[in-house]
Amino acid sequence: MTTRAILIERHGPPEAFVERDVSLGEPGPGEVHLRVKAVGVNFADLMMRAGLYDTVPPRPYSPGFEVAGEIVSVGSEVSDWRTGDHVVALIRFGGYAKDVIVPAANLFHYPESLTPVQAAAIPVVFLTAWVCLFDSGNARAGETALILGAGGGVGTAAVQLAVRHGLRVVGTAGNPEKRAYVTDELGAVACFDSRGDWEPDVRQLVGDRGIDIALDSVGGKATAACRRLLAPLGRLILYGLSDAVPKNRRSWLLAAKAWLRMPFIHPFSLVEQNVGVFGVHLLHLGTKEQQVLRPALDEIYRAITRRELHAVVDRAFSFDRRGAVAAHRYLHERRNLGKVVLSDQPYERRDLGET
């Protein structure tokens, strides 16, 4: 049996994607065959395609961490799922394909009120935000959180989660429409221009009190600014390095510059300032993966059902090579407000223009 997949055969710009028929085996005893209806596109996918991501299989392979679809068949030892069930799945790669074989342990129910596009837009961004805020960051009501890239996928999820849990949220975003959305629609108290020098604006807003939690997906100089803004007992959570990714193609020089701009942090400097620095990689939780992610996603979906949270989906691009190229270019250009998805089911929020 074969299926259609969008593959990385060589590193390069978005146009390096190819689309081919690939073999698809039968599900093993603890696996299911899932017909994919929508796949979330994440910034890590761009880094994979550009050759800046280390934990990947040999090429050719298909990127894609999260998919929504319908179960076609189940393995002999699968008892909790049936043919026809609509589910989301978290996987390490392979999601840019019309069919996937996944372990049943990686499946999650999603609310019937959601479309596959909305369902696929939720797991990675909301779980990343959840782990950053509550598992690593130990966020508490009344604290102040700084969220860089607040108009992006993880950013819009993090703002919603933080506000819902009683935190005062300050964000950064790249254009006026994104900044307005973060404050007016998501509830942040302020959102400053990520393209400028936002550190003095944040400092003026929070005063000597400082920032309790900073979520940093940017790296480079932004990391140093976040650390300077931390209050005593503040926590800096690093979960990305978008500063290393250019608008269209791999650039080792840009990646090296972003890496070198990261501040050196000596452990004793943290002791003196009473601050902490954490790193979060959602797919490297090891034995804690099920323990952390399943109850978190269950709570996230319950909150979505109660309309306390919502998926911020910018648009869905066609589920083929052409759509994947366009989606990656859209993210490279930082045009997205919220999440971008590949699907044959059209969904378009609005065009925000280039930032």
Side-chain angles (χ1 to χ4, degrees):
M1 183 165 53
T2 64
T3 191
R4 198 74 173 163
I6 302 158
L7 302 170
I8 298 171
E9 289 189 341
R10 64 179 179 87
H11 296 139
E15 290 74 16
F17 275 129
V18 298
E19 186 173 358
R20 305 198 190 286
D21 290 327
V22 297
S23 62
L24 184 76
E26 295 294 328
E31 297 177 324
V32 306
H33 171 189
L34 187 64
R35 178 73 37 80
V36 177
K37 303 296 184 182
V39 52
V41 180
N42 294 285
F43 212 86
D45 301 351
L46 278 62
M47 299 185 75
M48 285 183 177
R49 196 211 66 245
L52 299 173
Y53 207 84
D54 56 353
T55 53
V56 296
R59 288 172 283 158
Y61 70 92
S62 176
F65 294 137
E66 58 192 338
V67 297
E70 181 178 340
I71 294 177
V72 175
S73 61
V74 302
S76 59
E77 296 179 4
V78 176
S79 58
D80 295 335
W81 304 97
R82 295 180 176 82
T83 298
D85 283 350
H86 292 88
V87 299
V88 293
L90 285 174
I91 52 182
R92 280 171 170 73
F93 55 87
Y96 287 25
K98 299 291 186 176
D99 299 86
V100 293
I101 304 296
V102 298
N106 292 28
L107 300 180
F108 300 82
H109 287 290
Y110 66 85
E112 294 181 359
S113 59
L114 298 181
T115 68
V117 167
Q118 292 169 323
I122 290 169
V124 167
V125 294
F126 271 94
L127 286 172
T128 299
W130 183 284
V131 172
C132 286
L133 284 169
F134 306 123
D135 292 297
S136 293
N138 193 27
R140 293 180 286 259
E143 292 189 318
T144 300
L146 171 64
I147 298 173
L148 305 189
V154 176
T156 54
V159 173
Q160 291 183 73
L161 287 170
V163 169
R164 177 175 178 263
H165 283 78
L167 279 80
R168 183 188 189 212
V169 177
V170 181
T172 69
N175 70 31
E177 290 184 85
K178 291 183 181 182
R179 294 193 290 275
Y181 188 87
V182 169
T183 55
D184 299 347
E185 302 296 331
L186 301 184
V189 298
C191 191
F192 299 112
D193 189 352
S194 60
R195 299 168 300 179
D197 184 9
W198 46 264
E199 183 182 355
D201 296 325
V202 175
R203 188 174 298 281
Q204 182 177 8
L205 178 68
V206 301
D208 294 337
R209 167 106 176 42
I211 294 293
D212 298 298
I213 303 172
L215 268 58
D216 177 12
S217 61
V218 179
K221 295 179 179 179
T223 301
C226 287
R227 187 185 174 193
R228 288 191 294 266
L229 288 164
L230 287 181
L233 302 182
R235 290 84 74 197
L236 169 58
I237 317 296
L238 298 165
Y239 69 94
L241 187 61
S242 65
D243 199 31
V245 180
K247 281 196 170 184
N248 51 24
R249 62 183 66 243
R250 174 174 57 177
S251 171
W252 291 113
L253 178 61
L254 183 64
K257 285 181 177 179
W259 182 267
L260 292 172
R261 284 195 294 265
M262 295 285 288
F264 172 76
I265 299 175
H266 193 283
F268 276 105
S269 71
L270 305 179
V271 174
E272 180 181 351
Q273 295 178 346
N274 284 287
V275 297
V277 179
F278 298 82
V280 169
H281 192 311
L282 195 65
L283 300 181
H284 288 181
L285 289 173
T287 56
K288 288 197 171 183
E289 188 170 291
Q290 289 291 325
Q291 172 187 340
V292 171
L293 300 187
R294 186 165 295 279
L297 192 55
D298 286 344
E299 172 58 25
I300 288 163
Y301 278 137
R302 282 194 295 270
I304 286 171
T305 301
R306 296 191 297 262
R307 299 188 177 181
E308 297 170 2
L309 301 170
H310 65 278
V312 181
V313 183
D314 189 308
R315 60 177 60 193
F317 290 86
S318 60
F319 195 0
D320 53 22
R321 177 189 177 274
R322 179 183 176 187
V325 169
H328 276 228
R329 189 160 298 285
Y330 197 70
L331 287 180
H332 272 296
E333 294 169 354
R334 313 306 200 259
R335 294 174 63 185
N336 61 299
L337 173 59
K339 188 76 175 199
V340 168
V341 173
L342 301 181
S343 179
D344 291 328
Q345 301 180 357
Y347 182 104
E348 184 169 334
R349 193 187 58 80
R350 61 193 176 100
D351 189 352
L352 289 176
E354 188 172 340
T355 63

